[in-house]
Coordinates of all heavy atoms in Angstrom, one line a residue:
M1 N -280.0 -21.3 59.8 CA -279.3 -20.0 60.0 C -279.4 -19.2 58.8 O -279.2 -19.7 57.7 CB -277.8 -20.3 60.3 CG -277.1 -19.1 60.7 SD -275.6 -19.5 61.5 CE -274.5 -18.2 61.0
A2 N -279.8 -17.9 58.9 CA -280.0 -17.0 57.8 C -278.7 -16.6 57.2 O -277.7 -16.4 57.9 CB -280.8 -15.8 58.3
I3 N -278.7 -16.4 55.9 CA -277.6 -15.8 55.2 C -277.8 -14.3 55.2 O -278.9 -13.8 54.8 CB -277.5 -16.4 53.7 CG1 -277.3 -17.9 53.8 CG2 -276.4 -15.7 53.0 CD1 -277.4 -18.5 52.4
R4 N -276.8 -13.6 55.6 CA -277.0 -12.1 55.8 C -275.9 -11.4 55.0 O -274.7 -11.9 54.9 CB -276.9 -11.7 57.2 CG -278.0 -12.5 58.1 CD -277.8 -12.3 59.5 NE -277.9 -10.9 60.0 CZ -279.1 -10.2 60.2 NH1 -280.2 -10.8 59.8 NH2 -279.1 -9.0 60.6
K5 N -276.2 -10.3 54.4 CA -275.3 -9.5 53.6 C -275.4 -8.1 54.1 O -276.5 -7.7 54.6 CB -275.5 -9.6 52.1 CG -275.1 -10.9 51.6 CD -275.1 -10.9 50.1 CE -274.6 -12.2 49.6 NZ -274.5 -12.2 48.1
S6 N -274.4 -7.3 53.9 CA -274.4 -5.9 54.3 C -274.2 -4.9 53.1 O -273.7 -5.3 52.1 CB -273.3 -5.6 55.3 OG -273.5 -6.4 56.5
M7 N -274.7 -3.7 53.3 CA -274.6 -2.7 52.3 C -274.4 -1.4 53.1 O -275.0 -1.2 54.1 CB -275.8 -2.6 51.4 CG -275.7 -1.5 50.4 SD -277.2 -1.4 49.4 CE -276.9 -2.7 48.3
E8 N -273.5 -0.5 52.6 CA -273.2 0.7 53.3 C -273.4 1.9 52.3 O -273.1 1.8 51.1 CB -271.8 0.7 53.8 CG -271.4 1.8 54.7 CD -270.0 1.5 55.3 OE1 -270.0 0.7 56.2 OE2 -269.1 2.2 54.9
E9 N -273.9 3.0 52.9 CA -274.1 4.2 52.1 C -273.6 5.4 53.0 O -273.9 5.4 54.2 CB -275.5 4.4 51.7 CG -275.8 5.5 50.8 CD -277.2 5.5 50.2 OE1 -277.8 4.4 50.1 OE2 -277.7 6.6 49.9
V10 N -273.0 6.4 52.4 CA -272.5 7.6 53.2 C -273.2 8.8 52.7 O -273.3 9.0 51.5 CB -271.0 7.7 53.1 CG1 -270.5 9.0 53.8 CG2 -270.3 6.5 53.6
L11 N -273.8 9.6 53.6 CA -274.4 10.9 53.3 C -273.7 12.0 54.0 O -273.4 11.8 55.2 CB -275.9 10.8 53.7 CG -276.8 9.7 53.2 CD1 -278.1 9.7 53.9 CD2 -276.9 9.8 51.7
V12 N -273.6 13.1 53.4 CA -273.1 14.3 54.0 C -274.2 15.3 54.1 O -274.8 15.6 53.1 CB -271.9 14.9 53.3 CG1 -271.4 16.2 54.0 CG2 -270.7 13.9 53.2
V13 N -274.6 15.7 55.3 CA -275.7 16.6 55.5 C -275.3 17.8 56.3 O -274.3 17.9 57.0 CB -276.8 15.8 56.3 CG1 -277.4 14.7 55.5 CG2 -276.3 15.3 57.6
A14 N -276.1 18.9 56.2 CA -275.9 20.1 56.9 C -276.4 20.0 58.3 O -277.5 19.5 58.5 CB -276.5 21.3 56.2
G15 N -275.7 20.5 59.3 CA -276.2 20.4 60.7 C -275.1 19.8 61.6 O -274.1 19.3 61.2
Q16 N -275.4 20.0 62.9 CA -274.5 19.5 63.9 C -274.7 18.0 64.2 O -275.8 17.5 64.1 CB -274.6 20.3 65.2 CG -274.3 21.8 65.0 CD -272.8 22.0 64.5 OE1 -271.9 21.4 65.0 NE2 -272.6 22.9 63.5
R17 N -273.7 17.4 64.8 CA -273.7 16.0 65.1 C -274.9 15.6 66.1 O -275.6 14.7 65.9 CB -272.4 15.5 65.7 CG -272.3 14.1 66.1 CD -270.9 13.8 66.7 NE -270.8 12.4 67.1 CZ -270.9 12.0 68.4 NH1 -271.2 12.9 69.3 NH2 -270.8 10.8 68.7
E18 N -275.0 16.4 67.2 CA -276.0 16.1 68.2 C -277.4 16.2 67.6 O -278.3 15.4 67.9 CB -275.8 17.0 69.4 CG -274.6 16.8 70.2 CD -273.3 17.3 69.5 OE1 -273.4 18.2 68.6 OE2 -272.2 16.8 69.8
E19 N -277.6 17.2 66.7 CA -278.9 17.4 66.1 C -279.2 16.2 65.2 O -280.4 15.7 65.2 CB -278.8 18.6 65.2 CG -280.0 18.8 64.3 CD -279.8 20.0 63.3 OE1 -278.9 20.8 63.5 OE2 -280.6 20.0 62.3
W20 N -278.2 15.6 64.5 CA -278.5 14.5 63.6 C -278.6 13.2 64.4 O -279.4 12.3 63.9 CB -277.4 14.4 62.5 CG -277.8 15.3 61.4 CD1 -277.3 16.5 61.1 CD2 -278.8 15.0 60.4 NE1 -277.9 17.0 60.0 CE2 -278.8 16.1 59.5 CE3 -279.6 13.9 60.2 CZ2 -279.7 16.1 58.5 CZ3 -280.5 13.9 59.1 CH2 -280.5 15.0 58.3
L21 N -278.0 13.1 65.5 CA -278.3 11.9 66.4 C -279.8 11.8 66.7 O -280.4 10.8 66.6 CB -277.5 11.9 67.6 CG -276.0 11.4 67.5 CD1 -275.2 11.7 68.8 CD2 -276.0 9.9 67.2
T22 N -280.3 12.9 67.1 CA -281.8 13.0 67.5 C -282.6 12.8 66.2 O -283.6 12.0 66.3 CB -282.1 14.4 68.1 OG1 -281.2 14.6 69.2 CG2 -283.5 14.4 68.6
R23 N -282.3 13.4 65.1 CA -283.1 13.3 63.9 C -283.1 11.9 63.4 O -284.1 11.4 62.9 CB -282.6 14.3 62.8 CG -282.9 15.7 63.1 CD -282.4 16.6 62.1 NE -283.2 16.5 60.8 CZ -283.0 17.3 59.8 NH1 -282.1 18.2 59.8 NH2 -283.8 17.1 58.7
C24 N -281.9 11.2 63.5 CA -281.8 9.8 63.0 C -282.7 8.9 63.9 O -283.4 8.0 63.4 CB -280.4 9.3 63.0 SG -279.4 10.0 61.8
E25 N -282.7 9.1 65.2 CA -283.5 8.3 66.1 C -285.0 8.5 65.8 O -285.7 7.5 65.6 CB -283.2 8.7 67.5 CG -284.0 7.9 68.5 CD -283.7 8.2 70.0 OE1 -283.2 9.3 70.2 OE2 -284.1 7.4 70.8
Q26 N -285.4 9.7 65.7 CA -286.8 10.0 65.4 C -287.2 9.5 64.0 O -288.3 9.0 63.8 CB -287.1 11.5 65.5 CG -287.0 12.0 66.9 CD -288.0 11.3 67.8 OE1 -289.1 11.1 67.5 NE2 -287.5 10.9 69.0
G27 N -286.3 9.6 63.0 CA -286.6 9.2 61.7 C -286.8 7.7 61.6 O -287.7 7.2 60.9
L28 N -286.0 6.9 62.3 CA -286.1 5.5 62.3 C -287.4 5.0 63.0 O -288.1 4.1 62.5 CB -284.9 4.8 63.0 CG -283.6 4.9 62.3 CD1 -282.5 4.1 63.1 CD2 -283.7 4.4 60.9
I29 N -287.8 5.7 64.1 CA -289.0 5.4 64.8 C -290.2 5.7 63.8 O -291.1 4.9 63.7 CB -289.2 6.2 66.1 CG1 -288.1 5.7 67.1 CG2 -290.6 6.1 66.6 CD1 -288.0 6.6 68.3
T30 N -290.2 6.9 63.1 CA -291.2 7.3 62.2 C -291.3 6.3 61.0 O -292.4 6.0 60.6 CB -290.9 8.7 61.6 OG1 -290.9 9.6 62.7 CG2 -292.0 9.1 60.7
A31 N -290.2 5.8 60.6 CA -290.1 4.8 59.4 C -290.6 3.4 59.8 O -290.7 2.6 58.9 CB -288.7 4.8 58.8
G32 N -290.8 3.1 61.1 CA -291.3 1.8 61.5 C -290.2 0.9 62.0 O -290.5 -0.3 62.1
F33 N -289.1 1.4 62.3 CA -288.0 0.5 62.9 C -288.4 0.2 64.3 O -289.0 1.1 65.0 CB -286.6 1.2 62.8 CG -286.0 1.1 61.4 CD1 -286.5 2.0 60.4 CD2 -285.0 0.3 61.1 CE1 -285.9 1.9 59.1 CE2 -284.4 0.2 59.9 CZ -284.9 1.0 58.9
K34 N -288.0 -0.9 64.8 CA -288.2 -1.3 66.2 C -286.8 -1.4 66.9 O -285.8 -1.4 66.3 CB -288.8 -2.7 66.3 CG -290.1 -2.8 65.5 CD -291.2 -1.9 66.2 CE -292.5 -2.1 65.4 NZ -293.4 -1.0 65.6
D35 N -286.9 -1.4 68.2 CA -285.7 -1.5 69.1 C -284.7 -0.4 68.7 O -283.5 -0.7 68.6 CB -285.0 -2.9 69.0 CG -286.0 -4.0 69.3 OD1 -286.8 -3.8 70.3 OD2 -285.9 -5.1 68.7
V36 N -285.1 0.8 68.5 CA -284.3 1.9 68.2 C -283.5 2.4 69.4 O -284.1 2.6 70.4 CB -285.1 3.1 67.5 CG1 -284.1 4.3 67.3 CG2 -285.8 2.6 66.3
R37 N -282.2 2.4 69.3 CA -281.3 2.8 70.4 C -280.3 3.8 69.9 O -279.8 3.7 68.8 CB -280.6 1.6 71.0 CG -281.5 0.6 71.6 CD -280.6 -0.5 72.3 NE -279.6 -1.1 71.4 CZ -279.8 -2.2 70.7 NH1 -280.9 -2.9 70.7 NH2 -278.8 -2.6 69.9
T38 N -280.0 4.8 70.8 CA -279.0 5.8 70.5 C -277.8 5.6 71.5 O -278.0 5.6 72.7 CB -279.5 7.2 70.6 OG1 -280.6 7.4 69.7 CG2 -278.4 8.2 70.3
L39 N -276.6 5.4 70.9 CA -275.4 5.4 71.7 C -274.6 6.6 71.5 O -273.8 6.7 70.5 CB -274.6 4.1 71.3 CG -275.3 2.8 71.4 CD1 -274.5 1.7 70.8 CD2 -275.6 2.5 72.9
A40 N -274.9 7.7 72.3 CA -274.3 9.0 72.0 C -272.8 9.0 72.1 O -272.1 9.7 71.4 CB -274.9 10.0 73.0
D41 N -272.2 8.2 73.0 CA -270.8 8.2 73.2 C -270.1 7.7 71.9 O -269.0 8.1 71.5 CB -270.4 7.3 74.3 CG -270.8 7.8 75.7 OD1 -271.1 9.0 75.7 OD2 -270.8 7.1 76.6
L42 N -270.7 6.7 71.2 CA -270.2 6.2 70.0 C -270.7 6.9 68.7 O -270.2 6.7 67.6 CB -270.6 4.7 69.8 CG -270.0 3.7 70.9 CD1 -270.6 2.3 70.7 CD2 -268.5 3.7 70.9
G43 N -271.7 7.7 68.9 CA -272.3 8.5 67.8 C -273.1 7.5 66.9 O -273.0 7.7 65.7
Q44 N -273.8 6.6 67.5 CA -274.5 5.6 66.7 C -276.0 5.5 67.0 O -276.3 5.7 68.2 CB -273.9 4.2 66.8 CG -272.5 4.0 66.2 CD -272.0 2.6 66.2 OE1 -272.4 1.8 67.1 NE2 -271.2 2.3 65.3
V45 N -276.8 5.2 66.0 CA -278.2 4.9 66.2 C -278.4 3.6 65.5 O -278.0 3.4 64.4 CB -279.1 6.0 65.6 CG1 -280.6 5.7 65.8 CG2 -278.7 7.4 66.2
T46 N -279.1 2.7 66.2 CA -279.4 1.4 65.6 C -280.9 1.1 65.7 O -281.6 1.6 66.6 CB -278.6 0.2 66.4 OG1 -279.1 0.2 67.8 CG2 -277.1 0.4 66.4
G47 N -281.3 0.2 64.8 CA -282.7 -0.2 64.8 C -282.9 -1.4 64.0 O -282.0 -1.8 63.2
T48 N -284.0 -2.1 64.2 CA -284.4 -3.3 63.5 C -285.6 -3.1 62.6 O -286.6 -2.5 63.1 CB -284.7 -4.4 64.5 OG1 -283.6 -4.6 65.4 CG2 -284.9 -5.8 63.9
Y49 N -285.5 -3.6 61.4 CA -286.7 -3.4 60.5 C -287.2 -4.8 60.2 O -286.5 -5.7 59.7 CB -286.2 -2.8 59.2 CG -287.3 -2.5 58.2 CD1 -288.1 -1.4 58.4 CD2 -287.5 -3.3 57.1 CE1 -289.2 -1.1 57.5 CE2 -288.5 -3.0 56.2 CZ -289.4 -1.9 56.4 OH -290.4 -1.6 55.6
R50 N -288.5 -5.0 60.4 CA -289.1 -6.3 60.2 C -290.5 -6.1 59.6 O -291.5 -6.0 60.3 CB -289.3 -7.1 61.5 CG -287.9 -7.4 62.2 CD -288.1 -8.5 63.2 NE -286.9 -8.6 64.0 CZ -285.8 -9.2 63.7 NH1 -285.7 -9.8 62.5 NH2 -284.7 -9.3 64.5
R51 N -290.5 -6.1 58.3 CA -291.7 -6.0 57.5 C -291.6 -7.1 56.4 O -290.6 -7.2 55.7 CB -291.9 -4.7 56.8 CG -292.1 -3.5 57.8 CD -293.5 -3.2 58.0 NE -293.7 -1.8 58.4 CZ -293.7 -1.5 59.7 NH1 -293.3 -2.3 60.6 NH2 -293.9 -0.2 60.1
F52 N -292.6 -7.9 56.3 CA -292.6 -9.0 55.3 C -292.4 -8.3 53.9 O -293.1 -7.4 53.6 CB -293.9 -9.8 55.3 CG -293.9 -10.9 54.4 CD1 -293.3 -12.1 54.7 CD2 -294.6 -10.8 53.1 CE1 -293.2 -13.1 53.8 CE2 -294.5 -11.9 52.3 CZ -293.9 -13.0 52.6
P53 N -291.5 -8.8 53.1 CA -290.6 -9.9 53.2 C -289.1 -9.5 53.6 O -288.2 -10.2 53.3 CB -290.6 -10.5 51.8 CG -290.7 -9.3 51.0 CD -291.6 -8.4 51.7
T54 N -289.0 -8.3 54.2 CA -287.7 -7.8 54.5 C -287.4 -7.8 56.0 O -288.2 -7.2 56.8 CB -287.6 -6.3 54.0 OG1 -287.9 -6.3 52.6 CG2 -286.2 -5.8 54.2
W55 N -286.3 -8.4 56.4 CA -285.9 -8.4 57.8 C -284.4 -8.0 57.8 O -283.6 -8.6 57.2 CB -285.9 -9.8 58.4 CG -287.3 -10.4 58.4 CD1 -288.3 -10.2 59.3 CD2 -287.9 -11.2 57.4 NE1 -289.4 -10.9 59.0 CE2 -289.2 -11.5 57.7 CE3 -287.5 -11.7 56.1 CZ2 -290.1 -12.2 57.0 CZ3 -288.3 -12.4 55.4 CH2 -289.6 -12.7 55.8
G56 N -284.2 -6.9 58.6 CA -282.8 -6.4 58.6 C -282.5 -5.5 59.8 O -283.4 -5.1 60.6
E57 N -281.3 -5.1 59.9 CA -280.9 -4.2 61.0 C -280.1 -3.0 60.3 O -279.5 -3.2 59.2 CB -279.9 -4.9 61.9 CG -280.6 -6.0 62.6 CD -279.6 -7.0 63.3 OE1 -278.4 -6.7 63.2 OE2 -280.0 -7.9 63.9
L58 N -280.2 -1.9 61.0 CA -279.5 -0.7 60.4 C -278.7 0.0 61.6 O -279.2 0.1 62.7 CB -280.5 0.3 59.9 CG -279.9 1.6 59.3 CD1 -279.3 1.3 58.0 CD2 -281.0 2.6 59.1
T59 N -277.5 0.3 61.2 CA -276.6 1.1 62.2 C -276.2 2.4 61.4 O -275.7 2.3 60.3 CB -275.4 0.3 62.6 OG1 -275.8 -0.9 63.2 CG2 -274.5 1.1 63.5
I60 N -276.5 3.5 62.1 CA -276.1 4.8 61.5 C -275.0 5.4 62.4 O -275.2 5.5 63.6 CB -277.3 5.8 61.5 CG1 -278.5 5.2 60.7 CG2 -276.9 7.1 60.9 CD1 -279.7 6.0 60.8
T61 N -273.9 5.7 61.8 CA -272.8 6.3 62.6 C -272.7 7.7 62.2 O -272.7 8.1 61.0 CB -271.4 5.6 62.3 OG1 -271.6 4.2 62.5 CG2 -270.3 6.1 63.1
V62 N -272.8 8.6 63.2 CA -272.8 10.1 62.9 C -271.5 10.7 63.4 O -271.2 10.6 64.6 CB -274.0 10.7 63.7 CG1 -274.2 12.2 63.4 CG2 -275.3 10.0 63.3
V63 N -270.8 11.3 62.5 CA -269.5 12.0 62.8 C -269.5 13.4 62.2 O -270.1 13.6 61.1 CB -268.3 11.2 62.4 CG1 -268.2 9.8 63.1 CG2 -268.3 11.0 60.9
P64 N -268.8 14.3 62.8 CA -268.6 15.6 62.2 C -268.0 15.5 60.8 O -267.1 14.7 60.6 CB -267.7 16.4 63.1 CG -267.8 15.7 64.4 CD -268.1 14.2 64.1
G65 N -268.5 16.3 59.9 CA -267.9 16.3 58.5 C -266.7 17.1 58.4 O -266.2 17.7 59.3
A66 N -266.1 17.1 57.1 CA -264.8 17.8 56.9 C -265.1 19.3 56.9 O -264.2 20.0 57.3 CB -264.3 17.3 55.5
Q67 N -266.2 19.7 56.4 CA -266.5 21.1 56.4 C -267.2 21.5 57.7 O -267.9 20.7 58.3 CB -267.5 21.4 55.3 CG -267.0 21.1 53.9 CD -266.1 22.1 53.3 OE1 -266.2 23.3 53.7 NE2 -265.2 21.6 52.5
S68 N -267.0 22.8 58.1 CA -267.6 23.3 59.3 C -269.2 23.3 59.1 O -269.6 23.8 58.1 CB -267.1 24.7 59.6 OG -267.8 25.2 60.8
G69 N -269.9 22.7 60.1 CA -271.3 22.7 60.0 C -271.9 21.5 59.3 O -273.1 21.4 59.1
D70 N -271.1 20.6 58.8 CA -271.5 19.4 58.1 C -271.4 18.2 59.0 O -270.6 18.2 59.9 CB -270.7 19.1 56.8 CG -271.0 20.1 55.7 OD1 -272.0 20.8 55.7 OD2 -270.2 20.1 54.7
T71 N -272.2 17.2 58.7 CA -272.2 16.0 59.4 C -272.2 14.8 58.4 O -272.9 14.9 57.4 CB -273.4 15.9 60.4 OG1 -273.3 16.9 61.3 CG2 -273.4 14.6 61.2
R72 N -271.4 13.8 58.7 CA -271.4 12.6 57.8 C -272.1 11.5 58.5 O -271.9 11.1 59.6 CB -269.9 12.2 57.6 CG -269.8 11.1 56.5 CD -268.4 10.8 56.1 NE -267.9 9.9 57.2 CZ -266.6 9.9 57.6 NH1 -265.7 10.6 57.0 NH2 -266.3 9.1 58.6
L73 N -273.1 10.9 57.8 CA -273.9 9.8 58.2 C -273.5 8.6 57.4 O -273.5 8.6 56.2 CB -275.4 10.0 58.0 CG -276.0 11.3 58.5 CD1 -277.5 11.4 58.1 CD2 -275.9 11.4 60.0
T74 N -273.0 7.5 58.1 CA -272.7 6.3 57.5 C -273.8 5.3 57.8 O -274.0 4.9 59.0 CB -271.4 5.7 58.0 OG1 -270.4 6.7 57.7 CG2 -271.0 4.5 57.2
L75 N -274.6 4.9 56.9 CA -275.7 4.0 57.1 C -275.3 2.6 56.6 O -274.9 2.4 55.5 CB -276.9 4.4 56.2 CG -277.7 5.6 56.7 CD1 -277.0 6.9 56.2 CD2 -279.1 5.6 56.1
R76 N -275.3 1.6 57.6 CA -274.9 0.2 57.3 C -276.1 -0.7 57.5 O -276.5 -0.8 58.7 CB -273.7 -0.2 58.1 CG -273.2 -1.5 57.8 CD -271.9 -1.8 58.5 NE -271.4 -3.2 58.3 CZ -270.7 -3.5 57.2 NH1 -270.4 -2.6 56.3 NH2 -270.3 -4.8 57.1
S77 N -276.6 -1.3 56.5 CA -277.7 -2.2 56.6 C -277.2 -3.6 56.5 O -276.3 -3.9 55.7 CB -278.7 -1.9 55.4 OG -279.6 -3.0 55.3
T78 N -277.7 -4.5 57.3 CA -277.4 -5.9 57.3 C -278.8 -6.6 57.3 O -279.6 -6.5 58.2 CB -276.6 -6.4 58.5 OG1 -275.4 -5.6 58.6 CG2 -276.3 -7.8 58.4
A79 N -279.0 -7.4 56.2 CA -280.3 -8.0 56.0 C -280.2 -9.5 55.6 O -279.2 -9.9 55.0 CB -281.1 -7.3 55.0
A80 N -281.2 -10.2 55.9 CA -281.3 -11.6 55.5 C -281.6 -11.7 54.0 O -282.5 -11.0 53.5 CB -282.4 -12.4 56.3
V81 N -280.8 -12.5 53.3 CA -281.0 -12.6 51.8 C -281.3 -14.1 51.4 O -281.0 -14.4 50.3 CB -279.8 -12.1 51.1 CG1 -279.6 -10.6 51.3 CG2 -278.5 -12.8 51.5
D82 N -281.8 -14.8 52.3 CA -282.0 -16.3 52.0 C -283.4 -16.6 51.7 O -283.8 -17.8 51.8 CB -281.4 -17.1 53.2 CG -282.1 -16.8 54.5 OD1 -282.9 -15.8 54.5 OD2 -281.9 -17.6 55.4
N83 N -284.2 -15.7 51.3 CA -285.6 -16.0 51.0 C -285.8 -15.7 49.5 O -285.1 -15.0 48.8 CB -286.6 -15.3 51.8 CG -286.6 -13.8 51.7 OD1 -286.5 -13.2 50.7 ND2 -286.6 -13.1 52.9
I84 N -286.9 -16.2 48.9 CA -287.2 -16.1 47.5 C -287.4 -14.7 47.1 O -287.1 -14.3 45.9 CB -288.4 -17.0 47.1 CG1 -288.6 -17.1 45.6 CG2 -289.7 -16.5 47.7 CD1 -287.5 -17.9 44.9
Y85 N -287.9 -13.8 48.0 CA -288.1 -12.4 47.6 C -286.9 -11.6 47.4 O -286.9 -10.6 46.7 CB -289.0 -11.8 48.7 CG -290.3 -12.5 49.0 CD1 -290.5 -13.3 50.0 CD2 -291.3 -12.4 48.0 CE1 -291.7 -14.0 50.2 CE2 -292.5 -13.0 48.2 CZ -292.7 -13.9 49.3 OH -293.8 -14.6 49.5
A86 N -285.8 -12.1 48.0 CA -284.5 -11.4 47.8 C -284.0 -11.5 46.4 O -283.1 -10.7 46.0 CB -283.5 -11.9 48.8
I87 N -284.5 -12.4 45.6 CA -284.1 -12.5 44.2 C -284.6 -11.3 43.4 O -283.9 -10.9 42.5 CB -284.6 -13.8 43.6 CG1 -284.0 -15.0 44.3 CG2 -284.4 -13.9 42.1 CD1 -284.6 -16.4 43.9
F88 N -285.8 -10.8 43.8 CA -286.4 -9.8 43.0 C -286.0 -8.4 43.4 O -286.1 -7.4 42.6 CB -287.9 -10.0 43.1 CG -288.3 -11.3 42.6 CD1 -288.8 -12.3 43.4 CD2 -288.2 -11.6 41.2 CE1 -289.2 -13.5 43.0 CE2 -288.6 -12.9 40.7 CZ -289.1 -13.8 41.6
S89 N -285.7 -8.2 44.7 CA -285.3 -6.9 45.2 C -284.3 -7.0 46.4 O -284.5 -7.9 47.2 CB -286.5 -6.0 45.5 OG -287.1 -6.4 46.7
S90 N -283.4 -6.1 46.5 CA -282.4 -6.2 47.5 C -283.0 -5.8 48.8 O -283.4 -4.6 49.0 CB -281.2 -5.3 47.2 OG -280.4 -5.2 48.3
P91 N -283.0 -6.6 49.9 CA -283.5 -6.2 51.2 C -282.7 -5.1 51.8 O -283.2 -4.3 52.5 CB -283.4 -7.5 52.0 CG -282.7 -8.5 51.2 CD -282.6 -8.0 49.8
N92 N -281.4 -5.1 51.5 CA -280.5 -4.0 52.0 C -280.9 -2.7 51.5 O -281.0 -1.7 52.2 CB -279.0 -4.3 51.8 CG -278.5 -5.3 52.8 OD1 -278.7 -5.2 54.0 ND2 -277.8 -6.3 52.2
K93 N -281.2 -2.6 50.2 CA -281.6 -1.4 49.5 C -282.9 -0.9 50.1 O -283.1 0.3 50.4 CB -281.7 -1.5 48.0 CG -280.4 -1.6 47.3 CD -280.6 -1.7 45.8 CE -279.3 -1.8 45.1 NZ -279.5 -1.9 43.6
K94 N -283.8 -1.9 50.4 CA -285.1 -1.5 51.0 C -285.0 -0.9 52.4 O -285.6 0.1 52.7 CB -286.0 -2.8 51.0 CG -287.3 -2.6 51.7 CD -288.3 -1.8 50.9 CE -289.6 -1.7 51.5 NZ -290.5 -0.8 50.8
V95 N -284.1 -1.5 53.2 CA -283.9 -1.0 54.5 C -283.3 0.4 54.5 O -283.8 1.3 55.2 CB -283.0 -1.9 55.3 CG1 -282.5 -1.3 56.7 CG2 -283.7 -3.3 55.6
L96 N -282.3 0.6 53.6 CA -281.8 2.0 53.4 C -282.8 3.0 52.9 O -282.8 4.1 53.4 CB -280.5 1.9 52.5 CG -279.3 1.2 53.0 CD1 -278.3 1.0 51.9 CD2 -278.7 1.9 54.2
E97 N -283.6 2.6 51.9 CA -284.6 3.5 51.4 C -285.6 3.9 52.5 O -286.0 5.1 52.6 CB -285.3 2.9 50.2 CG -284.5 2.8 49.0 CD -285.1 1.9 47.9 OE1 -286.3 1.5 48.1 OE2 -284.4 1.7 46.9
V98 N -286.1 2.9 53.2 CA -287.1 3.2 54.3 C -286.5 4.2 55.3 O -287.1 5.1 55.8 CB -287.5 1.9 54.9 CG1 -288.4 2.2 56.2 CG2 -288.4 1.1 54.0
A99 N -285.2 3.9 55.7 CA -284.6 4.8 56.7 C -284.4 6.2 56.2 O -284.7 7.2 56.9 CB -283.2 4.2 57.1
K100 N -284.0 6.4 54.9 CA -283.8 7.7 54.4 C -285.1 8.4 54.2 O -285.2 9.7 54.4 CB -283.0 7.6 53.0 CG -281.6 7.2 53.2 CD -280.8 7.4 51.9 CE -281.2 6.4 50.9 NZ -280.4 6.4 49.7
A101 N -286.2 7.7 53.9 CA -287.5 8.3 53.8 C -288.0 8.8 55.2 O -288.7 9.8 55.3 CB -288.5 7.3 53.3
G102 N -287.5 8.2 56.3 CA -287.9 8.6 57.6 C -287.2 9.9 58.0 O -287.7 10.7 58.9
F103 N -286.1 10.3 57.4 CA -285.4 11.5 57.6 C -286.1 12.7 57.0 O -285.9 13.8 57.4 CB -283.9 11.5 57.2 CG -283.1 10.4 57.8 CD1 -282.0 9.9 57.1 CD2 -283.4 9.8 59.0 CE1 -281.2 8.9 57.7 CE2 -282.6 8.8 59.6 CZ -281.5 8.4 58.9
A104 N -286.8 12.5 55.9 CA -287.4 13.6 55.2 C -288.5 14.3 55.9 O -289.1 13.9 56.8 CB -288.0 13.0 53.9

């Protein structure tokens, strides 16, 4: 059984919630995530990242921000940290970096 840890990052972006649900889904697909699903009722986009040596899952929760026209994205990565490569770099950071690069 794999040892898994989580990491969370919050981003505040300009734009409406529905627009960001679509952008997050397309961004994860572009970044190479598999099994990308959007749950519009919950405001979540999920995907699986499997590239050697990083295996992880990402859940993005999209909610309206405090300011009008802002949206808050909560990115939560859960990755396996039980391999030798996890000693040299955090798999959770890698999953988050890849996801954010897909939004650009």
